[in-house]
Amino acid sequence: MAGYFDVETTHGDALVTKQGDYLSFIRVGGMKRIATRKDIERLAEALRVELSGTLENKGHAIVGWYLSDPEMAEWEIERVSLASCRKVGKELGLDLGDLLDERARLWSKTMRWEASCLILWTRRAVLTKEEVKQMKEERASAARECPSIGDAQRFFMRSELMAAHHDGFVSRVSQALRGIDVNATEMSAREALILAREAMYRETAGSAWKPTLIGDKVMARMPDDDVKKPSREGLLWPSLRSQFFHEDAVTIGGQAVELGAYEYAPVDLMIGPEDPRPFVELASTLGQDRVPWRCCFILEGGGQTGMALKEVGASFLAIFPQNRDLQRGFAALRAAREESNHISVKLRASFATWAKAGETRALRRRASTLAQRIEGWGGCKSARIAGDPLDGVMGTVPGIALASTGNPSLALLGEALPMLPWNHTISPWSEGSVLFRLPSGAIWPYDPAGGSKRPVVIDVFVAPPGSGKSVIANTINLGLCLSSAVLGGANPKLPMIGKLDIGPSAEGFVRLIREKLGPEREHEAIYVMMQFAAGYEFNVFDLQVGCEDPLPLERAFLETFLSLLTLPADTSKPFEGVTQMIKLVVDEAYRRCKDVPGGTPKRYVRGVEPLVDAAIANHDIQIHSEYPIWRDVVTALCECGQYRLAEIAQRHAVPVLEDLIVAARSEQVVDLFESLKIDLTAETASQLFDRYIRDAIRRFPTLNQPTKLDFGSARIIVLDLQEVAPTGSAAANRQTEIMYLLGRHILARNFFLKPDYLRYVPEFVRPYHAKRFQEVYESVKRLDYDEWHRTKGSALVQAQAELDAREGRKHNVQLGFSSQRLGDMGDSILAQSTGRFILRVGDEKEAEQVIERFNLSEGASQVVRHGLHGPGPNGAPFLFVLHVDNAKYEQVLVNQLGPAELWAHSTTPGDSALRNRLYTALGFEEALRRLAAVFPKGSSLKEIERRKADRLKAGAMEAAAQAGVVDDLAAELIDGRGVALKLRPYERDGAELLAATQ
């Protein structure tokens, strides 16, 4: 086996062969955008121009190596995503082991591990005669100074002359790849050898093996006892070939070889394609076949020079038809060189597939599939017999030698370059807590936290109803909970996630988190359906505990909110002067709640807050006997360290809406605004303000009371605005706008805290808030808006969202906006967005709008027009347009979840009703287990519709039919009968046996 291994030692990141040649591995991630065949040909032409000078003569070679292995998908999935998710979940106390196991089982059946690289060779032929002479002298001198080292690495094979030529070649190829927007990274020598060994012995993939290289610490090896004069071999670094091979090969007939735990079969390219096509077309087809395979394409410079003898022979023997064809081929290549300076290269290609040892039939089937796909790739001709099968298989191991059993061809460089594995697509992240996949099955990790690659996270989700927007949004939020970003603090905590929902689209996500946290911590995730009823009171004038005035961003919100309250339903522009008046009224309202001259601080009343009363007694807090005020209670509780109770007490010390009426009548406000008339209503500004505030108190009584809607220490909060956000009339739309703005404040009032705000905080609570502000500032935070189209006509709500988008990066706040059409988002939000999820478009006009607005490439445009068909059995496809590291990515991805996770996130009314019934009857875990087993596609809609149709035919009312069907299905799942008979395998088998005998 050692005879197949040419690498002798290393020099920096390069490997050095025993002949003195240099080679380096360039890891090729692939392209950032979807490309059509024309796009790839255009990029290949740019590559040709850059590399023609290097490959015109002998001395340099480019080897394109690629591996696709569906069988290793489970290991790769665990490495790039699930292992980290398990660790984070354990640190957070979030027990998601069953869900992650389900992902591993599902994804390993649809995803595949792929890797590709370009191996750049620089051979001694690049040297001039003088350089060859100089290199020989250097090597001879080094060899004389070096004692006998036996089989140790011959480090004196290094050459600074060769290294200089090689570094220039590597730099040129790397820059050329980056110039066409292809991700390319030079691998270290250690990484290259690990990759080569894992490619050769597939069972070693992911192992801890590392080669011992020059400079590494090495343990001395004792010579044999009978050796009288041992060499220095035992003190130096062992040869790489002795480290690389750990098992011999056994040939099986003339077409296969057993190597380690696998049997391999080679397939050689005998005749190149008649119609050269991009490599991605071959990889995608074989990816869908789920065949493990690898390949090596060798492009050597000076191709036409190497074929000169054959060209002369073809000319002499032109009387034979085949030679006339060769003569015409050489003439065409010569014409291309003369007319467009298009050089030719020597091209060889070898392929291999494998199966576990003993699975010879599977290996033959895979080799046959591989050969057929190669021959369908532009009309190639392949051969499954390589003379010696071990030669053929070793020709597909990267970097060990520049050798191949493939038939050499002479190809135009511009036609050969697209055949190399650089034109598939990639993810900017090597790991991520969310895994999508390409339609071909390639793994595409996604980090929802963004990290240093994506400091601004503003996502927009566009699709008609039923396209999977809610599911993918829940997937990202769950991924955020499992992201390593939550481990940044001393004590790992859930991320702070707030979502304004219309309907229960995120109820399943919250229920999942609550169940996995357990009873003791379920309060950290809350789902609330907002109502205008007792228990839902919320006062927008609440302050940070101990403060007497709002922080800057809180003040800005109050001004925006009150401006919206004082607007007519059919307009979006505040009346002249009212905005200035609101600022003064807010200041006056807070001033009157303080214990200052002219102020009327709110009086403490025993019995209003029993917990506060008990704390006053327990801590022996002395308060003013004649006129006790809540503000004194707040201060005293803070001094005792009872900040939670102080926050409750403070809710009674701040203004409410009706206090604004009195504040607006103060002398300071009246003096400035009594002469300001509103032309539209013939009122003064004070009268108009008074009227609108009274109307708001009447319509929204829960806004005029001290806060009772208490989320405590919840980190994940979903507010469902379905009951309080109507549509249809101008007044209803205005109420929806108000609720969106209020909901945003409820969820995110603490998202924008930062240490700089400590200067606005009183001294006695500054130590408490210093720690709190810092913790919040460093936490990952996300604010999602569902059904964003409901705010389309509200300039003030849009302005608040745009402000949050601009300020989000400074506060580590992510934003997400979901809507049915692109035009609902607003141009400013679209312009600032860094992640665009297009799951489907409503019609052709919408498709063209998306294409134009996002400036999509032709490949992505075709996907938007024809490739987005909504969720299916194999997941929900979507186009992801992403801005990362100042680069634009366009990818077609698939979000695929397991049945239990789909059931947990389901928002379809019928499925949700069935799931909730089973939650009540069976509990969370058992309900999902049964639903996933009986309905593995994640939905029971087809069964519900079938049964509902039968009931309607029998004369039942539609609502009763729907409810009755869901009740029947729930009963069957609970009892294990009917459609749920499969939950009783022994009874099912017996029933099938009985039916068969009858």
Side-chain angles (χ1 to χ4, degrees):
M1 295 296 292
Y4 291 96
F5 194 82
D6 284 351
V7 179
E8 181 64 37
T9 186
T10 61
H11 190 173
D13 288 334
L15 304 177
V16 183
T17 70
K18 55 189 177 183
Q19 295 84 16
D21 300 335
Y22 273 59
L23 64 145
S24 292
F25 281 56
I26 302 292
R27 188 185 300 279
V28 178
M31 301 176 63
K32 299 172 183 176
R33 303 192 189 188
I34 305 166
T36 62
R37 190 184 299 180
K38 289 183 178 180
D39 292 331
I40 293 173
E41 290 173 354
R42 174 177 53 81
L43 297 174
E45 178 64 16
L47 268 182
R48 180 190 73 81
V49 173
E50 288 291 327
L51 301 179
S52 288
T54 304
L55 296 175
E56 185 170 7
N57 299 312
K58 289 185 176 181
H60 290 301
I62 299 177
V63 179
W65 179 82
Y66 176 85
L67 178 143
S68 173
D69 193 348
E71 296 175 348
M72 293 300 296
E74 185 174 0
W75 172 84
E76 181 70 358
I77 289 165
E78 192 73 22
R79 185 188 71 82
V80 303
S81 180
L82 296 188
S84 175
C85 289
R86 295 182 200 278
K87 178 181 177 182
V88 173
K90 183 178 180 181
E91 292 286 337
L92 291 176
L94 193 61
D95 183 14
L96 289 168
D98 55 345
L99 185 146
L100 298 177
D101 290 342
E102 180 187 65
R103 288 183 176 183
R105 289 192 299 271
L106 173 70
W107 289 345
S108 61
K109 296 177 182 177
T110 58
M111 294 183 180
R112 58 188 175 87
W113 178 29
E114 68 173 5
S116 65
C117 62
L118 296 184
I119 305 162
L120 308 182
W121 286 76
T122 301
R123 311 185 78 174
R124 290 168 297 167
V126 300
L127 300 178
T128 64
K129 289 184 178 180
E130 182 62 32
E131 288 175 331
V132 170
K133 180 180 178 182
Q134 184 179 346
M135 186 182 73
K136 287 182 177 179
E137 291 175 354
E138 290 177 357
R139 189 171 297 168
S141 175
R144 283 194 301 269
E145 295 177 3
C146 181
S148 176
I149 61 173
D151 196 37
Q153 293 183 38
R154 295 189 294 166
F155 49 84
F156 51 82
M157 295 300 296
R158 298 177 175 188
S159 168
E160 294 298 334
L161 286 172
M162 283 293 295
H165 282 280
H166 183 66
D167 290 345
F169 181 44
V170 172
S171 176
R172 187 165 185 174
V173 174
S174 299
Q175 290 178 6
L177 289 171
R178 297 188 189 107
I180 61 171
D181 224 16
V182 172
N183 185 284
T185 307
E186 184 175 2
M187 299 172 62
S188 68
R190 193 182 310 276
E191 292 171 337
L193 289 169
I194 292 173
L195 177 65
R197 191 170 185 269
E198 288 183 349
M200 181 169 176
Y201 297 108
R202 294 302 300 132
E203 65 273 19
T204 66
S207 69
W209 179 85
K210 292 181 180 180
T212 300
L213 303 180
I214 301 296
D216 290 348
K217 183 178 180 181
V218 60
M219 182 176 290
R221 283 93 61 206
M222 296 296 292
D224 293 337
D225 293 338
D226 58 347
V227 177
K228 296 181 179 180
K229 294 183 178 181
S231 68
R232 305 294 177 87
E233 175 183 350
L235 301 176
L236 298 175
W237 305 275
S239 66
L240 292 176
R241 66 185 68 87
S242 66
Q243 301 179 55
F244 194 83
F245 298 103
H246 71 85
E247 200 162 346
D248 286 336
V250 179
T251 56
I252 304 173
Q255 295 183 333
V257 58
E258 182 177 333
L259 191 59
Y262 289 86
E263 294 178 5
Y264 296 80
V267 179
D268 283 337
L269 183 69
M270 301 307 295
I271 301 179
E274 298 177 12
D275 175 22
R277 296 181 180 179
F279 177 83
V280 66
E281 297 185 14
L282 175 65
S284 297
T285 304
L286 283 166
Q288 293 171 3
D289 292 332
R290 296 193 62 74
V291 172
W293 65 290
R294 66 184 185 226
C295 65
C296 268
F297 289 84
I298 302 177
L299 269 63
E300 294 182 75
Q304 195 145 359
T305 303
M307 293 285 188
L309 185 60
K310 289 189 177 183
E311 184 176 2
V312 173
S315 299
F316 278 115
L317 302 175
I319 58 174
F320 299 104
Q322 290 181 342
N323 286 305
R324 284 200 294 270
D325 291 339
L326 287 174
Q327 189 179 25
R328 282 193 293 269
F330 282 119
L333 294 174
R334 189 166 54 252
R337 179 70 171 87
E338 294 171 354
E339 294 172 6
S340 58
N341 199 28
H342 200 161
I343 68 170
S344 303
V345 292
K346 182 181 176 182
L347 171 66
R348 291 177 290 170
S350 296
F351 300 79
T353 184
W354 56 89
K356 291 183 178 179
E359 298 180 358
T360 306
R361 290 186 178 181
L363 179 62
R364 290 174 181 171
R365 185 171 59 252
R366 291 173 177 179
S368 177
T369 301
L370 177 59
Q372 290 175 21
R373 294 305 186 191
I374 294 170
E375 292 182 350
W377 183 46
C380 299
K381 297 295 184 293
S382 65
R384 291 177 55 189
I385 300 176
D388 182 353
L390 182 56
D391 279 348
V393 170
M394 296 302 287
T396 62
V397 178
I400 63 172
L402 191 61
S404 171
T405 55
N407 195 35
S409 304
L410 194 59
L412 289 172
L413 179 59
E415 294 182 351
L417 284 173
M419 298 170 65
L420 300 186
W422 54 265
N423 43 57
H424 55 290
T425 52
I426 60 149
S427 169
W429 291 280
S430 58
E431 299 178 1
S433 57
V434 175
L435 276 193
F436 300 123
R437 66 173 174 84
L438 294 170
S440 63
I443 298 172
W444 207 93
Y446 172 67
D447 182 4
S452 59
K453 291 180 178 289
R454 190 183 174 210
V456 178
V457 180
I458 303 174
D459 296 329
V460 295
F461 302 85
V462 179
S467 302
K469 293 194 305 295
S470 298
V471 173
I472 198 170
N474 290 336
T475 300
I476 290 173
N477 282 333
L478 182 59
L480 195 62
C481 294
L482 296 175
S483 169
S484 58
V486 305
L487 302 179
N491 298 314
K493 292 183 178 180
L494 287 170
M496 300 174 71
I497 298 176
K499 181 165 185 175
L500 286 179
D501 217 349
I502 300 293
S505 66
E507 182 182 10
F509 164 68
V510 173
R511 181 68 180 266
L512 174 66
I513 297 296
R514 287 173 62 89
E515 292 289 341
K516 297 302 182 180
L517 286 173
E520 296 181 355
R521 295 179 57 199
E522 64 178 10
H523 61 276
E524 294 183 29
I526 295 177
Y527 171 85
V528 176
M529 181 175 287
M530 197 70 174
Q531 301 176 41
F532 296 129
Y536 293 88
E537 295 87 351
F538 187 85
N539 183 15
V540 296
F541 296 94
D542 283 339
L543 299 171
Q544 301 297 324
V545 64
C547 294
E548 295 185 341
D549 292 292
L551 299 178
L553 284 178
E554 292 173 337
R555 184 182 298 276
F557 161 77
L558 286 173
E559 293 168 2
T560 302
F561 185 74
L562 294 175
S563 295
L564 191 60
L565 280 183
T566 55
L567 275 179
D570 56 353
T571 185
S572 59
K573 184 177 180 181
F575 292 114
E576 174 62 31
V578 173
T579 301
Q580 290 84 356
M581 180 179 152
I582 287 172
K583 294 179 180 179
L584 194 58
V585 169
V586 168
D587 289 342
E588 179 64 16
Y590 279 109
R591 190 194 69 81
R592 293 178 60 84
C593 289
K594 300 176 185 177
D595 189 10
V596 296
T600 55
K602 299 200 172 182
R603 187 165 185 170
Y604 164 72
V605 178
R606 187 179 297 275
V608 173
E609 294 289 354
L611 293 177
V612 174
D613 298 340
I616 291 174
N618 292 338
H619 293 278
D620 194 23
I621 295 174
Q622 302 298 318
I623 55 177
H624 199 283
S625 58
E626 297 182 1
Y627 194 84
I629 60 175
W630 283 104
R631 178 56 60 187
D632 289 342
V633 174
V634 172
T635 302
L637 289 173
C638 288
E639 290 174 347
C640 294
Q642 298 294 318
Y643 295 102
R644 175 65 180 149
L645 293 175
E647 181 184 355
I648 295 173
Q650 185 169 265
R651 296 170 182 171
H652 300 272
V654 296
V656 292
L657 271 180
E658 64 184 5
D659 293 328
L660 300 183
I661 298 174
V662 177
R665 295 174 180 171
S666 65
E667 294 182 4
Q668 184 180 6
V669 177
V670 171
D671 289 345
L672 289 174
F673 294 97
E674 65 178 346
S675 59
L676 178 61
K677 298 287 185 180
I678 307 299
D679 294 336
L680 185 64
T681 63
E683 296 173 289
T684 65
S686 298
Q687 290 173 332
L688 180 137
F689 182 81
D690 185 288
R691 177 165 60 85
Y692 272 104
I693 294 300
R694 291 182 184 276
D695 179 66
I697 293 171
R698 178 184 59 80
R699 293 169 57 200
F700 313 122
T702 54
L703 300 184
N704 191 42
Q705 299 292 329
T707 297
K708 291 184 181 178
L709 185 62
D710 190 353
F711 299 116
S713 57
R715 308 277 295 181
I716 299 174
I717 306 170
V718 175
L719 279 183
D720 185 352
L721 302 180
Q722 181 72 43
E723 299 294 327
V724 297
T727 58
S729 64
N733 292 339
R734 175 50 44 82
Q735 179 175 322
T736 297
E737 296 166 20
I738 292 171
M739 290 299 106
Y740 264 85
L741 202 57
L742 175 66
R744 178 264 173 204
H745 182 66
I746 293 173
L747 296 174
R749 63 186 294 254
N750 291 331
F751 280 19
F752 295 89
L753 299 177
K754 58 181 182 179
D756 291 350
Y757 286 159
L758 284 175
R759 64 179 183 269
Y760 302 107
V761 174
E763 188 70 32
F764 70 97
V765 288
R766 196 165 289 178
Y768 166 73
H769 284 301
K771 181 179 178 181
R772 178 169 166 265
F773 285 11
Q774 188 69 36
E775 189 272 328
V776 171
Y777 180 69
E778 293 175 353
S779 295
V780 179
K781 302 172 284 291
R782 186 176 178 92
L783 180 60
D784 280 350
Y785 296 92
D786 196 17
E787 305 293 341
W788 185 246
H789 61 272
R790 296 202 180 194
T791 68
K792 186 176 181 180
S794 176
L796 291 175
V797 176
Q798 294 274 348
Q800 182 66 58
E802 292 169 12
L803 177 63
D804 290 346
R806 292 191 185 97
E807 297 287 336
R809 178 180 180 180
K810 301 175 184 177
H811 301 84
N812 201 19
V813 176
Q814 302 182 6
L815 294 173
F817 301 89
S818 297
S819 194
Q820 299 172 12
R821 299 181 69 89
L822 185 67
D824 300 332
M825 296 297 178
D827 193 65
S828 179
I829 289 174
L830 288 176
Q832 296 181 76
S833 64
T834 58
R836 292 89 178 254
F837 298 78
I838 299 99
L839 288 89
R840 200 164 60 178
V841 290
D843 52 28
E844 294 180 0
K845 184 178 180 180
E846 176 79 0
E848 296 305 320
Q849 184 182 0
V850 169
I851 293 168
E852 181 180 357
R853 181 62 184 81
F854 293 148
N855 191 27
L856 299 181
S857 64
E858 181 59 31
S861 300
Q862 293 302 322
V863 170
V864 172
R865 293 188 183 106
H866 310 297
L868 302 176
H869 306 295
N874 295 320
F878 63 97
L879 176 68
F880 192 16
V881 183
L882 177 68
H883 288 273
V884 175
D885 278 345
N886 298 318
K888 181 179 180 181
Y889 287 72
E890 295 175 354
Q891 306 284 351
V892 182
L893 302 172
V894 179
N895 182 36
Q896 186 177 23
L897 303 179
E901 192 169 358
L902 282 174
W903 273 107
H905 291 317
S906 178
T907 61
T908 308
D911 288 336
S912 299
L914 176 61
R915 179 193 65 198
N916 293 339
R917 282 170 169 78
L918 293 184
Y919 279 167
T920 303
L922 302 172
F924 183 82
E925 300 285 352
E926 181 62 17
L928 290 183
R929 187 190 71 80
R930 296 194 183 191
L931 286 168
V934 176
F935 299 106
K937 294 183 179 179
S939 176
S940 62
L941 285 184
K942 289 186 178 180
E943 181 66 16
I944 290 175
E945 291 297 327
R946 185 187 67 78
R947 296 190 180 199
K948 180 180 171 183
D950 291 342
R951 291 203 173 206
L952 290 174
K953 289 177 184 178
M957 298 294 291
E958 185 167 356
Q962 173 86 5
V965 165
V966 173
D967 287 337
D968 287 349
L969 271 178
E972 292 178 16
L973 285 162
I974 293 169
D975 298 337
R977 55 184 174 82
V979 294
L981 186 61
K982 63 174 65 177
L983 298 174
R984 298 183 176 186
Y986 300 107
E987 293 183 20
R988 178 196 63 200
D989 295 343
E992 290 175 353
L993 180 62
L994 179 62
T997 56
Q998 293 175 347

